[in-house]
Amino acid sequence: MSELTRLTAAETAAKIASGEVTAVAVTEAHLARIDAVDEKVHAFLHVDREGALEQARAVDARREAGEELGPLAGVPLALKDIFTTQGVPTTVGSKILEGWIPPYDATVTRRLKDAGVVILGKTNMDEFAMGSSTENSAYGPTGNPWDLTRVPGGSGGGSSAAIASYQAPLAIGTDTGGSIRQPAAVTGTVGVKPTYGGVSRYGMVAFSSSLDQGGPCARTVLDAALLHEVIAGHDPMDSTSIDAPVPSVVEAARNGSVEGLRVGVISEFRGEGYQAGVMQRFDESVELLRELGAEVVELSCPSFTKALAAYYLIAPSECSSNLARFDAMRYGLRTGDDGTRSAEEVTSLTREAGFGDEVKRRIMLGTYALSSGYYDAYYGSAQKVRTLISRDFERAFEQVDVVISPTTPTTAFPIGERADDPMAMYLADLCTIPSNLAGNAAMSLPCGLAPEDGLPVGLQIIAPAMADERLYRVGAAVEAAFLARWGHPILEEAPAL
């Protein structure tokens, strides 16, 4: 493996800015790494080799012309295949958009390009971001670089696997119920769900509009903060975008400290269903925070026990509305249009062929929940639970600065183990869903390996809305303490591919 692929994003950017290495050389090293390992990992659905090299050459030309480069200029990135990218296939992991070439860039894509970030290609994902394992992709599963027989999390498993296998130092994911944080936890990487509305959703193919949120994935807290700052900020093209300054996340990541901070531990985020090794590493993290000068406060948020049920009514309801646009009439797949069938028949045949089982399951569940006579009993009740969860968070943040928990109840499970048991699959998001329902900010970072299987465990940090900098302040302090204790990053222990 080239040493250029082992660098952090911050280190890579510094070397490019100083002229020590070129952006083209860095991009070529990562493309070579993709060639070497991605046949095994299957992190990418599309590698934009020529586009990436063209972007890298533009960065080198700017540096040679004496222009000041941005903090991530020339750094390669893997982009989840849910963001439209002009001239590059965007499939959302679904057959129904196979071969679709968007005519425009998502706001996140445009901001990455404007910052000089080199987009290597589009990463694998659960179809329409519906899943917790990347097994629901129409193009086959992605393997976890720690153990290729296990899942890399979902729905953004391709992004997390690309980082963990050193195919890219940075990636972009989306988080509807935990799809950035859960993959980060099981691959030993860092993933952040910004405050809802903190990163534009324009050009991000919608699953559940009141929950979806794009965010950064990286190998270090500082790298995540640098990427967060690039993609965040108000966007008039997105009506849910927050018109407020971006929190000072990079400064917080560079000055991590928990001295005097009040840290809440939620009693509902432990108990039956949690793997012993996960809880062991979490308890050690709590003690570490105490050693670093934080005050740990035990809290109870009773409504969190209802979060999973509420989510799986709200998200399918919104997805049944959003996915109605895939009707075979305007773009994407069209099946059965032989001149003898009606538009309704063509739409039905196309959806039957184009949507996978999990997408169909959620559309049917959501349509039922929104139907006449059931709306108040199901969708309406779920929204009331959502309000209760938000109020529980508000009460918690009156007592503490941040809340922590395990990111996932277990480490990465074997591919296929939960494929026929949707309820078992949904439980992977038990700890992450409340933050999506409330709209606040959350991060997952590595906190060790579970002793029983040697696989990564994630520590989740949750902050109030628009207090994203607290995630980075705490995350950087914990990361630095882990590095001092172990002498090297967790990911160095990942088996070579």
Side-chain angles (χ1 to χ4, degrees), residues 142-166:
T142 295
N144 188 323
W146 288 79
D147 179 348
L148 292 173
T149 68
R150 293 179 182 257
V151 303
S155 63
S159 289
S160 65
I163 296 172
S165 56
Y166 291 91

Side-chain angles (χ1 to χ4, degrees), residues 231-496:
I231 62 174
H234 180 244
D235 178 17
M237 300 294 286
D238 175 5
S239 63
T240 60
S241 177
I242 298 171
D243 189 2
V246 178
S248 52
V249 295
V250 172
E251 181 184 350
R254 294 190 189 279
N255 300 286
S257 170
V258 297
E259 185 71 38
L261 217 62
R262 297 165 300 162
V263 176
V265 176
I266 306 294
S267 59
E268 284 76 14
F269 283 150
R270 60 170 66 240
E272 186 179 351
Y274 286 79
Q275 186 176 322
V278 169
M279 293 312 303
Q280 180 180 334
R281 295 299 176 232
F282 174 68
D283 290 339
E284 290 170 357
S285 300
V286 173
E287 289 307 311
L288 175 64
L289 285 162
R290 283 197 178 100
E291 292 173 20
L292 294 173
E295 177 190 351
V296 176
V297 181
E298 296 285 340
L299 298 171
S300 176
C301 295
S303 64
F304 285 13
T305 59
K306 302 178 179 67
L308 196 67
Y311 174 87
Y312 279 103
L313 283 168
I314 293 169
S317 295
E318 295 184 4
C319 103
S320 87
S321 176
N322 278 322
L323 269 60
R325 73 193 65 181
F326 298 98
D327 57 6
M329 298 297 114
R330 289 163 286 191
Y331 46 78
L333 182 70
R334 180 180 294 179
T335 300
D337 186 14
D338 59 4
T340 67
R341 294 185 172 92
S342 68
E344 290 80 5
E345 289 173 312
V346 172
T347 296
S348 179
L349 288 168
T350 299
R351 288 171 174 168
E352 169 62 28
F355 288 142
D357 289 345
E358 182 62 24
V359 172
K360 290 173 184 173
R361 179 185 293 118
R362 297 197 194 192
I363 289 173
M364 288 189 290
L365 178 60
T367 303
Y368 179 80
L370 292 175
S371 62
S372 177
Y374 295 102
Y375 181 95
D376 288 336
Y378 293 109
Y379 185 74
S381 295
Q383 291 287 18
K384 291 175 183 176
V385 170
R386 185 178 196 168
T387 299
L388 294 175
I389 289 167
S390 295
R391 288 174 180 170
D392 270 356
F393 268 124
E394 289 169 8
R395 282 190 288 269
F397 289 127
E398 288 173 358
Q399 302 174 61
V400 298
D401 299 295
V402 296
V403 169
I404 61 170
S405 77
T407 308
T408 59
T410 70
T411 55
F413 48 88
I415 293 173
E417 182 182 78
R418 304 184 187 181
D420 297 324
D421 188 351
M423 286 305 299
M425 187 74 77
Y426 297 164
L427 288 170
D429 300 329
L430 197 63
C431 301
T432 52
I433 280 173
S435 291
N436 296 90
L437 292 171
N440 51 23
M443 166 190 286
S444 178
L445 74 158
C447 64
L449 306 177
E452 60 265 53
D453 54 24
L455 294 172
V457 176
L459 171 68
Q460 180 175 222
I461 306 164
I462 305 171
M466 294 306 293
D468 302 51
E469 74 282 355
R470 295 187 197 176
L471 304 177
Y472 293 94
R473 178 183 170 189
V474 176
V478 171
E479 181 182 67
F482 284 153
L483 291 176
R485 183 165 296 185
W486 295 328
H488 54 73
I490 284 179
L491 205 57
E492 294 289 340
E493 297 181 16

Side-chain angles (χ1 to χ4, degrees), residues 68-91:
E68 185 176 349
L69 300 180
L72 289 178
V75 179
L77 174 140
L79 183 61
K80 188 176 182 180
D81 197 29
I82 196 170
F83 291 92
T84 56
T85 309
Q86 186 174 10
V88 177
T90 300
T91 69

